[in-house]
Amino acid sequence: DVQLVESGGGLVKPGGSLRLSCATSGFLFDTYTMTWVRQAPGKGLEWVASINGGGSDIFYADSVRGRFTISRDNAEDSMYLQMQTLRVEDTAIYYCANDPYNNGWFHSWGQGVRVTVSS
Amino acid sequence: QSALTQPASVSGSPGQSITISCTGTSSDIGGYDYVSWYQHHPGKAPKLIIYEVSDRPSGVSTRFSGSKSGNTASLTISGLQDEDEADYYCSSYINSNTLYVVFGGGTKLTVL
């Protein structure tokens, strides 16, 4: 079975940092583009960042570019999101998802991890 | 980076059919057949129900169907059931050096 499990969320003050992890199993991780998607309270889904299988192609939403860094460790079948200079508006549930054909659609999703940015 | 445009809400009675529209531009929906749709029940992981405009993943009911015309994609749910009540999001690959995907704002489906 395909599994994606996020971890690393929590409460952080504005300006702080947090590192999210997405541990995966059940598929050929290094052939899939991986993505972070978030949902702020009362809002819709927002694409955050994506990284291709080899880690050479990386994309960010305008709202996080320069503050967030996506990365992956294919030896560990894991993906990460380093979040810095966090803002109140980054408060959301963060989901990781896999993209089997690198075409921007997401087949499997994790259950999500909550990030709260508040003073 | 503008979100794709979806109606905020739609509703229908059990057994009826509803259609949710999703409007973008020639840089996203109009330019590629990489439109997808997701069903999201609160507190759960989003679920892929349509990919590449009209294909269904294994295990997704045939009551869900997708289509596209120009810059607008559509999701149709036929034979509405109570468990279809959820939020629905469209998404598209986007042609950009820096962006990858854009989502719609989401549509709340209420089964009356």
Side-chain angles (χ1 to χ4, degrees):
Chain A
D1 277 6
V2 172
Q3 288 198 358
L4 297 91
V5 180
E6 303 92 341
S7 61
L11 173 63
V12 61
K13 288 181 167 48
S17 299
L18 212 54
R19 188 192 196 215
L20 304 184
S21 299
C22 173
T24 77
S25 62
F27 62 99
L28 294 174
F29 181 76
D30 59 2
T31 66
Y32 282 55
T33 290
M34 295 296 295
T35 288
W36 290 98
V37 175
R38 69 184 181 183
Q39 184 177 36
K43 303 290 187 181
L45 298 179
E46 179 190 15
W47 169 75
V48 174
S50 297
I51 183 169
N52 72 337
S56 58
D57 293 335
I58 289 175
F59 303 89
Y60 295 102
D62 293 342
S63 57
V64 307
R65 187 175 297 112
R67 300 187 300 119
F68 290 11
T69 301
I70 189 172
S71 63
R72 63 191 296 157
D73 183 341
N74 288 345
E76 296 291 330
D77 290 349
S78 294
M79 174 180 65
Y80 308 97
L81 188 67
Q82 178 69 46
M83 304 185 294
Q84 298 179 311
T85 320
L86 281 161
R87 304 168 179 167
V88 170
E89 54 265 35
D90 294 319
T91 295
I93 296 174
Y94 285 74
Y95 299 95
C96 65
N98 68 9
D99 177 352
Y101 297 107
N102 311 311
N103 288 335
W105 52 268
F106 310 123
H107 186 273
S108 300
W109 297 64
Q111 287 296 316
V113 62
R114 186 177 300 273
V115 172
T116 302
V117 185
S118 174
S119 54
Chain B
Q1 179 185 357
S2 299
L4 305 175
T5 302
Q6 298 181 233
S9 63
V10 297
S11 62
S13 299
Q16 288 186 331
S17 295
I18 63 95
T19 297
I20 299 171
S21 62
C22 172
T23 302
T25 70
S26 57
S27 293
D28 39 67
I29 292 176
Y32 306 91
D33 286 338
Y34 298 139
V35 177
S36 52
W37 290 89
Y38 303 88
Q39 179 190 62
H40 192 200
H41 288 103
K44 292 196 164 186
K47 176 185 177 183
L48 176 70
I49 54 173
I50 295 289
Y51 66 97
E52 294 183 9
V53 177
S54 59
D55 289 340
R56 274 185 309 276
S58 174
V60 172
S61 171
T62 56
R63 297 186 300 106
F64 295 91
S65 62
S67 63
K68 188 186 89 165
S69 178
N71 296 339
T72 298
S74 298
L75 171 71
T76 297
I77 309 174
S78 59
L80 272 179
Q81 300 179 0
D82 289 344
E83 58 263 36
D84 297 333
E85 185 161 298
D87 297 317
Y88 291 84
Y89 295 89
C90 61
S91 175
S92 175
Y93 171 82
I94 184 167
N95 180 18
S96 166
N97 289 332
T98 56
L99 305 176
Y100 184 59
V101 161
V102 60
F103 278 97
T107 299
K108 170 66 179 177
L109 169 61
T110 300
V111 180
L112 302 171

